[in-house]
Amino acid sequence: MKELHKEKTMPKATARRLPLYLRYLKMLGDSGVTRIKSKEFSDVIQVPPATIRRDFSHLGELGRSGYGYDVPYLIEVFSHILNTQEEKRIALIGCGNLGKALVKNNFRRNENLNIVCAFDIEEELVGLSVDDIIIQPMENLAEEVKKTGVTVAISTVPSQFAQEAIDKIVDAGITAILNFAPDRVTVPNNVNVQYIDLTTELQTLIYFDETFPHKNV
């Protein structure tokens, strides 16, 4: 891969969109799409084409005028940029079925992402072991973050309780949060929250399945 010109002054908004670009590019690639223009990508991802071109320009010459972008190359570029080179220790908040499944899987495909502790407010869950990780009460969160060096949290807490859980995560000093509740929460400016909306993801999957019938375009 040719050298990338990743600027240290890349806007924060651009950096936040990079994982979104990669996720949709991989879906395009899986659907057999090998080349795409910014307008076509805009229709898929619902980001203005001018914004896409501006974001991509921060990383060098990724495409050609009139031709567009090579999807496999873009996947390679964004995968390289977003690859985590050092271990990120993660706290899992909410140990229902989804939370337990995440702990059991524990990012086996990426050894640098590691769930090291889990928490819940339900007394019947506290003390249970999930793949050698003991579920702890939420009041232990701040102390455990300091002890284990956790820098990231994943919250699977339902929407109606999400703000309370996020507040406790922030109070513990964590500034990177993956939230499986789709409703937006309020956090300080220095905290980054990424939302996972399973309904939206499913609708996106159906859109791709109906729009790109698994053949080269």
Side-chain angles (χ1 to χ4, degrees):
M1 184 173 62
K2 63 185 179 181
E3 183 179 357
L4 299 176
H5 303 287
K6 185 179 178 182
E7 298 182 6
K8 294 181 179 179
T9 57
M10 178 187 293
K12 190 174 183 180
T14 295
R16 283 179 171 173
R17 283 190 287 268
L18 296 186
L20 182 68
Y21 291 147
L22 179 59
R23 185 164 80 246
Y24 278 86
L25 286 166
K26 285 182 175 179
M27 293 182 73
L28 286 167
D30 290 343
S31 299
V33 178
T34 59
R35 178 162 61 99
I36 197 166
K37 295 183 178 180
S38 58
K39 177 60 172 65
E40 297 167 332
F41 196 36
S42 172
D43 291 340
V44 171
I45 201 171
Q46 296 301 299
V47 173
T51 300
I52 292 172
R53 291 192 295 269
R54 185 170 60 249
D55 287 347
F56 285 12
S57 71
H58 288 285
L59 304 174
E61 297 296 330
L62 300 184
R64 301 196 303 273
S65 178
Y67 175 85
Y69 303 94
D70 284 316
V71 171
Y73 178 65
L74 289 180
I75 292 173
E76 183 181 4
V77 168
F78 287 113
S79 295
H80 175 76
I81 292 171
L82 294 170
N83 183 39
T84 301
Q85 298 296 333
E86 60 183 36
E87 184 190 17
K88 296 296 181 182
R89 315 199 88 193
I90 303 166
L92 190 285
I93 314 300
C95 297
N97 292 334
L98 176 57
K100 290 175 183 174
L102 290 172
V103 173
K104 289 178 180 178
N105 180 69
N106 207 355
F107 303 100
R108 290 191 178 99
R109 293 185 179 181
N110 190 325
E111 61 184 13
N112 294 321
L113 299 175
N114 188 19
I115 296 175
V116 298
C117 51
F119 302 86
D120 205 288
I121 62 171
E122 298 294 337
E123 292 183 1
E124 62 267 27
L125 293 176
V126 172
L128 295 180
S129 176
V130 182
D131 273 20
D132 297 327
I133 292 179
I134 304 297
I135 301 173
Q136 303 182 54
M138 282 296 291
E139 53 263 31
N140 289 7
L141 178 59
E143 180 182 352
E144 195 69 17
V145 166
K146 292 179 181 178
K147 183 170 70 175
T148 60
V150 163
T151 59
V152 180
I154 298 174
S155 175
T156 65
V157 175
S159 292
Q160 62 266 37
F161 307 114
Q163 184 66 63
E164 181 180 355
I166 297 300
D167 288 344
K168 292 180 179 178
I169 293 170
V170 172
D171 289 343
I174 296 174
T175 56
I177 304 169
L178 182 65
N179 187 14
F180 274 84
D183 295 339
R184 275 13 186 194
V185 294
T186 301
V187 296
N189 291 333
N190 67 317
V191 175
N192 293 298
V193 180
Q194 184 75 29
Y195 297 89
I196 300 294
D197 184 342
L198 295 180
T199 299
T200 298
E201 295 296 330
L202 181 58
Q203 290 173 332
T204 300
L205 173 64
I206 293 170
Y207 167 81
F208 269 85
D209 188 59
E210 294 177 349
T211 305
F212 302 101
H214 308 289
K215 63 181 181 179
N216 290 331
V217 176

